[in-house]
Amino acid sequence: MKATQLDLLVIAPHPDDGELGCGGLLARAKSEGLSTGILDLTRGELGSKGTVETRAEEVRAASAVLALDYRGNLALTDGAVSDGLEARGSLARCLRELRPRVLLIPHASDRHPDHLGASRLGAAAVHDAGLRKAPVEGPPHKVSRLLFYPGNYPAIPTLAVDVSAHIEAWQAAVLAYQSQFEGEPVSETVGPSGVEARRALRRYWGNLVGVAYAEGLLSPLPWLTTLW
């Protein structure tokens, strides 16, 4: 992997988690001239719907919708994501190579074990990536801002990002994963019910801050300046 400098990187346990959680934010950042990327931790091989090959095609389609500058996969074992030393070293090495300014990882409160594991792994890798003496290839890199994005469990955001102008891009990126929504009721105007519910959540968060749609994030530290 060639060393680069990303403005915004999302760590996703499985293909589609990054789009579901932060697709609007990624679309907004790209529209403002920032470099963006998603690093999937697994290939989603245990998913009940679709195949690894199908999901790989959907990843390419979703990445094109969001015009990502980077898309990668750490190829960890689906269903076994955890903060092990080998996985932590691999992720820390990627962080040193991609050098993101803003990093988003899953929130620790979630029903899926991989999402919980990804949250712990991400936080630990951020720490190791910044340690000069850590046994990780490449020069140290300290992430400027670490944020958490909600998954399946409800969370009260501490930061709401206006994605009103990018809600359709968010939906198009999510719906690129057609295999994951097979068999769900479809609305003519919104799409599969799972997407409809997540869109409604963005509408709710937007209402709280006086905009049409917003994505909710959680910050471990107080904010002094704008997101970028």
Side-chain angles (χ1 to χ4, degrees), residues 3-219:
T4 184
Q5 172 75 64
L6 285 177
D7 291 307
L8 182 67
L9 177 66
V10 176
I11 303 298
H14 315 96
D16 80 10
D17 284 328
E19 289 84 355
L20 282 166
C22 308
L25 173 60
L26 288 164
R28 173 177 168 174
K30 188 64 179 180
S31 75
E32 295 180 6
L34 302 180
S35 55
T36 60
I38 296 177
L39 176 61
D40 298 314
L41 298 181
T42 74
R43 303 187 190 282
E45 60 268 24
L46 289 185
S48 300
K49 299 179 180 180
T51 64
V52 170
E53 293 75 19
T54 297
R55 298 191 75 170
E57 294 175 1
E58 293 168 344
V59 163
R60 288 189 285 271
S63 300
V65 170
L66 296 176
L68 297 178
D69 296 282
Y70 168 83
R71 187 72 183 245
N73 196 302
L74 211 56
L76 301 181
T77 301
D78 191 8
V81 176
S82 63
D83 177 27
L85 290 179
E86 184 176 353
R88 186 194 302 182
S90 296
L91 182 52
R93 177 180 57 81
C94 286
L95 294 178
R96 288 188 173 188
E97 292 172 339
L98 297 173
R99 308 189 74 78
R101 291 198 299 117
V102 179
L103 182 69
L104 294 96
I105 65 178
H107 189 256
S109 176
D110 199 286
R111 63 173 171 76
H112 199 303
D114 278 352
H115 291 207
L116 175 60
S119 184
R120 292 174 175 169
L121 172 61
V126 166
H127 179 74
D128 282 8
L131 290 179
R132 182 171 60 86
K133 294 184 178 180
V136 179
E137 181 182 348
H141 173 69
K142 291 185 179 295
V143 173
S144 298
R145 292 175 178 172
L146 176 65
L147 296 166
F148 299 89
Y149 63 92
N152 299 301
Y153 276 1
I156 300 175
T158 57
L159 174 67
V161 180
D162 184 2
V163 296
S164 304
H166 309 283
I167 191 64
E168 299 306 330
W170 166 81
Q171 181 167 309
V174 171
L175 290 180
Y177 294 91
Q178 297 179 14
S179 68
Q180 300 307 297
F181 301 105
E182 290 178 352
E184 292 192 13
V186 175
S187 162
E188 293 181 358
T189 57
V190 179
S193 58
V195 179
E196 183 175 3
R198 291 177 183 265
R199 180 166 176 149
L201 182 59
R202 284 160 172 75
R203 182 70 186 94
Y204 169 71
W205 283 333
N207 183 63
L208 294 179
V209 294
V211 300
Y213 292 94
E215 284 185 342
L217 304 171
L218 294 94
S219 173

